[in-house]
Amino acid sequence: MQELDVKLLVNLSGDDIQSAGLLKAMLHARGHSAASIHRSLSMEQLLAYAKQVKAEAILCSNPDTLNNIINIGSKSEEEGVSLWRGARINFSIPVLVIEPTYHITAVQSGQFLMENDLEKLKYIRLPTYKYSYTICVQRELFRKAVADCHRAAVVVFDIETSRQNTITSVAFTCLGPRGEIGNTYCIPLVGWSKEEEVADAIRTIKAILEDEGPVKAAHNGAFDCFHLIRHGISVANYVWDTEYLWWCWNAELKKSLAFISSVLLPDYYYWKSESESDPLGYNCKDTINTARCLVSILGKMPAWAMRNYARTYPLVTPLISTAFEGFKVSETVLDRLRPEAKTIVERTAETLQIMTATPKFNPGSPKQLSILFYQVLGAVKPSRTKSATGTDAITLKKIALQHPLVSRFVAEVTEYRKHAKAYSTYFTAHLISTGADSLGGSRALYSLQPDGTKSSRLSSNKSSLYVAGTAENYGLQIQNIPPYMREAMIADDGYLIGEADKSQSEARCTAYLADDELLIEDLETPRRDFYCYMAYRFFGIKIDKSDPIRQLVKKIVHGTNYLMQEDTFIDNVGIKELYYFKQLLKHKGTLKEFAAYLLGLYHITYPRVSAWWAESARQIKLTGSVATPDGWTRRVFGDPVKNAEVRRGIISHMPQHLSVSTLNKAIVRVYYDLQLPSAGAFRFKLQNHDS
C-alpha cells in the first residue's frame, strides 16, 4: 500500500518530553507531519486540539488522557497504555494508542512495536472490521452451526469457564480454504430452562469438536482441551495454536491474544474489557480475532519459525496428560513437616525483631521495611523502583551494595521471604482429593507450559482448576519445590519415581558451542568431578563433593555462562553465603569486588568462552536472530553488541536451549513410544531444569 501523508496530533506524557524527538524522526521518515502536546486532556479537549491543527488522526501515549477518554480504570502504564497499545479508538478523529516514546530505546522490542504501530497509519482512513456472530439461543441454530463447521477448512474454537470449573460457553469461527473468515457461532451452556436443552448444546459442541473433517485451531488450546476433556469432549485434528505459533516466531514478545492482535491487526481495538458486560459476544470476538491472527501468522511467519513449531507442538498432548495426574502427596508427611516449616518462618522473623530491637517488627510489611531501610539505616532509594515502598526484591538487591549493614538486613529479609513464601506456597497449597479411585489419596495438581520460557524449557504453574467458587487455584508450581516438599511427594501404588539428569549439561553445551578445548577436556575427563577440579583450577585447593566450595564453583560456572553481573551473582549465591565464602577464602575488599574476582576466574581459565561471546554477538546483530546447532532459531530484538542485557539474554540462551532441546525430544519419545503403548505402566511427570 502506498505511504500516505497523515497530519497528526501527538499527545504525550511529561515523561516523554526528552524522547519525543525519536518519534518525530520516525514520523518524518514516513512522510507524516505532527503537532504535539504534553499534558492530560479530556476527550473534548483532545478532539478540539486535533481540529485546531487540522489533524486527521491522533497518537496518544498519555495515560491520564487515555483514562479520560475510555475509562481504562487505571492510570498505571502496565494496566493502561500497555494494554491498549496499538488500538484504534474510532472517534470523529481516530485515536491510535502508542506506548511511551522512551520505550523506543529503553525496551528491547520498543522500536519494533513503535514502527509496527506507526504502520497502522496507512489504514487509519479505512473502516474497521465488523464483527458478526450468531448466539445460538434457539436449538434450531445448533444444526446450522454443525453444518457450517463441518464444511469449514479450519474451525477456531474457544471456551469460557466459571469459578465453579464449568464451561459456560463455547464459540466457533469457520475459516475457508483460502483463509476467508466465515460464520461464527457461540453455544452457551448456561441460561437454558430445561436439562434437555443443555444436553443438546453439549452434543452440538461435541459433534463440532470431534468432527475429524476440519482442522481445529485455538489460542493456548491446552487450557481449552483440559476442560473439554473433563466434560467428556475431545478435540479431533487440533493442529494450529496461535499462542504457540507466535512464541515459536517471537519468543521475546508477549503472547496473549490481545497483544498478538495488537501487532497483527491494523484495525485492532482492545476487546478484553468486555468479558463481563457481554460474555457471549466476548467469546465470539476471541475466536474471530484468533482466526484473523492465524491467517496473518501463517502468511507471514518465516520457515524457521514453522520448524520451531513442528518441534514444539508434539509436547502439547503429554503436557495435557500431566495436568490431569499431578503427584500423590502424603498428608502425614506434610502434617509432620508443617510445624517445623512454620517455626523456621517465625525464627527468621524473630531474628529481624532482635536486630531491629522491635519485638513487634513485621518483616512482611512493606511499609515497616521501607522505614527500616530508608529512615533508620539511611539507604538511598533508587530513582526507579518496582514498588512505591522500594522494598521489592530487585530494589533490595540494589541497596544491599550501598553498605555492609544494609546488606546484612537485606540478607535476613530475603531469608524470611524465602521461607514465608515456601510455607504459603507448599504447606497451604490446595490439594485435591481423588477419593477411592485408582490414583487414591490427595494430589498436588500443576500445569506445564511448552512456551513459558524463551529457551524452550518448560515452565510450571498451578492447575487451571479453581477451588470451587474462589479465585484460588488447586495445586502448585512443581519445578522449584524445596527438599521437604519432595519428601511429601510419593509414588502411586505399584509405581516408582525415577529421575534422569544430564550431568553438567549447560557447561558441556557452552564448551562445545565455544569450541573451548581445555573446557571440553576438563568436562570429559573420566573419574573426575568437574566442579571439584574447578576448585583446584580456580583456588589451588583440593576438595571433595561434600565441601561447600564445590557449590560456589558451580555458581561461578553457571553465573559466567549466563553473563551475570556482580549484583546478579551476589543475589544468585546469597549475600550471607557469599560473605561466608569471602571469609573462607580470605579475600579483602567489598562484596562486589569479591563477586567480580570470582566471575573473572572463569575467564582467566577459559578465555576462549568470552571470545566466542563476542563473535556470537556480532553475528547475531547482523542476522537479527540466534540459531543453535539443533536447528532452533530465535528472533532477537535489540543490539547484542551495544546492549549488555540483550547480549546476556542471547548468550545464555544458546547453552540453555541446546541443553533442554534433547529433554523435550525425550518427553515426546517417552510419551508416545513408552507411556501410550504401555497403557500407563510408564508415566511422564515433569521436566525439572536439566532432568
Side-chain angles (χ1 to χ4, degrees):
M1 180 175 289
Q2 185 178 359
E3 193 75 64
L4 301 174
D5 178 12
V6 181
K7 176 71 174 178
L8 301 165
L9 172 67
V10 182
N11 181 210
L12 308 175
S13 67
D15 292 338
D16 284 331
I17 292 176
Q18 291 184 337
S19 54
L22 295 171
L23 176 61
K24 183 178 179 181
M26 294 172 76
L27 290 172
H28 179 74
R30 287 166 172 75
H32 305 310
S33 55
S36 62
I37 185 167
H38 294 261
R39 65 183 180 87
S40 171
L41 300 170
S42 66
M43 182 174 69
E44 292 77 13
Q45 290 172 323
L46 184 68
L47 295 176
Y49 273 110
K51 290 177 182 176
Q52 183 178 330
V53 298
K54 299 181 180 180
E56 301 170 75
I58 301 166
L59 299 180
C60 178
S61 69
N62 189 303
D64 297 311
T65 299
L66 189 60
N67 196 50
N68 291 338
I69 64 178
I70 55 174
N71 189 25
I72 58 177
S74 171
K75 296 181 181 180
S76 74
E77 179 183 306
E78 182 62 29
E79 296 178 4
V81 173
S82 288
L83 285 178
W84 282 78
R85 193 223 90 255
R88 188 207 299 186
I89 305 170
N90 290 314
F91 294 141
S92 56
I93 301 175
V95 177
L96 180 62
V97 181
I98 59 173
E99 284 195 323
T101 56
Y102 69 82
H103 279 209
I104 296 172
T105 54
V107 178
Q108 291 179 19
S109 58
Q111 182 174 342
F112 165 79
L113 290 176
M114 185 65 77
E115 290 176 344
N116 185 84
D117 290 341
L118 295 182
E119 283 295 296
K120 296 181 180 183
L121 292 172
K122 294 178 180 179
Y123 308 92
I124 203 74
R125 297 170 185 168
L126 300 179
T128 56
Y129 182 87
K130 292 190 183 329
Y131 290 95
S132 175
Y133 45 83
T134 300
I135 309 295
C136 298
V137 291
Q138 293 90 28
R139 292 167 70 182
E140 54 265 25
L141 292 171
F142 292 171
R143 289 187 293 276
K144 188 174 187 306
V146 171
D148 268 8
C149 289
H150 178 69
R151 287 191 294 266
V154 179
V155 173
V156 180
F157 67 96
D158 178 65
I159 72 169
E160 296 300 324
T161 58
S162 72
R163 292 284 170 83
Q164 301 295 333
N165 298 310
T166 58
I167 297 176
T168 55
S169 65
V170 184
F172 306 95
T173 291
C174 301
L175 277 174
R178 291 178 295 278
E180 62 272 22
I181 306 289
N183 291 332
T184 295
Y185 298 92
C186 179
I187 300 177
L189 292 177
V190 294
W192 300 99
S193 58
K194 299 177 181 178
E195 288 187 8
E196 61 262 30
E197 292 174 325
V198 177
D200 199 7
I202 292 174
R203 281 193 296 270
T204 302
I205 294 167
K206 189 177 178 70
I208 293 172
L209 290 176
E210 295 186 354
D211 185 352
E212 296 185 357
V215 167
K216 310 302 188 307
H219 185 84
N220 186 23
F223 172 89
D224 302 74
C225 289
F226 174 78
H227 286 281
L228 286 164
I229 292 170
R230 289 184 57 245
H231 287 72
I233 301 171
S234 60
V235 181
N237 286 349
Y238 164 40
V239 173
W240 296 122
D241 195 291
T242 47
E243 178 176 316
Y244 309 147
L245 282 163
W246 180 259
W247 173 80
C248 288
W249 181 13
N250 295 290
E252 296 182 11
L253 299 179
K254 298 175 186 177
K255 55 183 186 290
S256 68
L257 179 59
F259 179 85
I260 297 171
S261 299
S262 75
V263 175
L264 296 177
L265 306 183
D267 56 352
Y268 163 78
Y269 91 99
Y270 184 69
W271 78 98
K272 288 292 188 178
S273 56
E274 301 172 10
S275 60
E276 293 186 9
S277 61
D278 182 19
L280 299 181
Y282 166 84
N283 193 186
C284 291
K285 290 178 181 178
D286 269 0
T287 61
I288 292 170
N289 286 332
T290 301
R292 296 183 71 198
C293 287
L294 177 64
V295 172
S296 180
I297 290 172
L298 293 180
K300 294 178 179 178
M301 72 185 298
W304 58 258
M306 187 58 74
R307 289 194 294 271
N308 291 350
Y309 183 76
R311 290 175 53 180
T312 300
Y313 185 77
L315 288 164
V316 174
T317 298
L319 302 190
I320 294 173
S321 175
T322 62
F324 280 100
E325 293 186 19
F327 248 109
K328 188 176 180 180
V329 175
S330 169
E331 293 275 16
T332 303
V333 174
L334 281 182
D335 290 341
R336 173 170 57 82
L337 296 174
R338 188 176 287 109
E340 181 183 351
K342 187 176 182 181
T343 299
I344 292 173
V345 176
E346 293 170 348
R347 192 181 301 137
T348 53
E350 185 180 353
T351 299
L352 281 160
Q353 290 163 357
I354 294 171
M355 290 172 66
T356 58
T358 309
K360 293 186 178 181
F361 179 75
N362 178 13
S365 166
K367 183 177 180 180
Q368 291 187 35
L369 288 177
S370 183
I371 293 171
L372 169 65
F373 285 114
Y374 302 114
Q375 295 183 28
V376 178
L377 297 176
V380 179
K381 187 186 292 187
S383 57
R384 286 192 178 184
T385 63
K386 289 193 69 176
S387 61
T389 59
T391 58
D392 57 276
I394 293 176
T395 303
L396 291 188
K397 293 172 194 173
K398 293 177 180 178
I399 66 171
L401 302 174
Q402 294 179 6
H403 192 277
L405 186 60
V406 176
S407 173
R408 183 76 174 85
F409 275 92
V410 168
E412 292 300 332
V413 170
T414 302
E415 187 78 0
Y416 167 81
R417 286 176 170 176
K418 180 181 74 174
H419 292 298
K421 182 180 180 181
Y423 182 82
S424 64
T425 299
Y426 297 105
F427 287 106
T428 64
H430 294 285
L431 305 180
I432 193 164
S433 176
T434 55
D437 65 16
S438 59
L439 295 175
S442 297
R443 306 190 75 78
L445 298 182
Y446 49 88
S447 62
L448 298 169
Q449 288 77 42
D451 60 341
T453 69
K454 298 172 187 176
S455 68
S456 300
R457 178 172 282 127
L458 305 184
S459 65
S460 173
N461 292 320
K462 293 181 178 181
S463 170
S464 62
L465 283 176
Y466 286 109
V467 179
T470 74
E472 297 183 26
N473 295 78
Y474 278 108
L476 43 77
Q477 197 270 69
I478 195 66
Q479 290 179 317
N480 294 314
I481 57 175
Y484 53 76
M485 189 64 189
R486 291 191 177 203
E487 184 181 347
M489 302 177 73
I490 57 178
D492 289 300
D493 293 345
Y495 286 84
L496 295 173
I497 297 174
E499 180 179 19
D501 183 75
K502 296 175 67 181
S503 178
Q504 293 96 42
S505 177
E506 289 180 19
R508 278 190 163 82
C509 290
T510 298
Y512 284 98
L513 285 165
D515 196 22
D516 190 307
E517 294 182 2
L518 180 59
L519 182 53
I520 292 171
E521 179 185 341
D522 286 346
L523 280 161
E524 302 296 4
T525 300
R527 296 183 299 279
R528 185 171 71 190
D529 181 81
F530 173 67
Y531 296 114
C532 290
Y533 188 66
M534 285 303 93
Y536 178 73
R537 281 208 181 274
F538 290 166
F539 309 117
I541 56 177
K542 293 183 178 181
I543 63 170
D544 58 29
K545 288 187 176 182
S546 64
D547 195 302
I549 290 289
R550 184 180 183 276
Q551 279 301 111
L552 176 63
V553 171
K554 198 170 183 179
K555 295 282 188 181
I556 294 171
V557 173
H558 289 178
T560 314
N561 286 342
Y562 296 159
L563 275 74
M564 284 184 186
Q565 299 298 292
E566 292 89 345
D567 297 357
T568 309
F569 181 73
I570 292 170
D571 176 61
N572 186 260
V573 178
I575 295 172
K576 187 187 296 186
E577 291 82 356
L578 208 56
Y579 269 121
Y580 166 77
F581 289 123
K582 183 174 179 292
Q583 185 177 18
L584 190 66
L585 294 170
K586 298 179 181 180
H587 184 276
K588 296 179 180 180
T590 66
L591 195 65
K592 192 167 184 176
E593 288 170 343
F594 181 52
Y597 160 72
L598 294 176
L599 291 171
L601 292 172
Y602 189 92
H603 298 297
I604 294 171
T605 310
Y606 306 112
R608 171 61 198 146
V609 173
S610 54
W612 166 65
W613 291 346
E615 295 164 7
S616 299
R618 290 192 293 270
Q619 180 63 26
I620 292 163
K621 181 178 181 179
L622 290 174
T623 62
S625 63
V626 53
T628 44
D630 65 326
W632 187 274
T633 302
R634 171 176 146 189
R635 186 178 184 181
V636 175
F637 294 93
D639 187 336
V641 174
K642 295 182 179 179
N643 189 316
E645 183 180 355
V646 177
R647 186 164 59 254
R648 282 194 296 273
I650 56 99
I651 294 299
S652 61
H653 164 85
M654 288 190 277
Q656 284 178 349
H657 170 79
L658 193 58
S659 170
V660 81
S661 65
T662 51
L663 294 183
N664 289 345
K665 290 178 183 177
I667 290 170
V668 173
R669 289 191 62 187
V670 299
Y671 182 79
Y672 291 102
D673 296 347
L674 288 178
Q675 180 162 322
L676 293 184
S678 73
F682 176 93
R683 311 202 71 82
F684 160 72
K685 286 293 183 179
L686 63 101
Q687 178 193 99
N688 186 37
H689 299 293
D690 294 329
S691 68

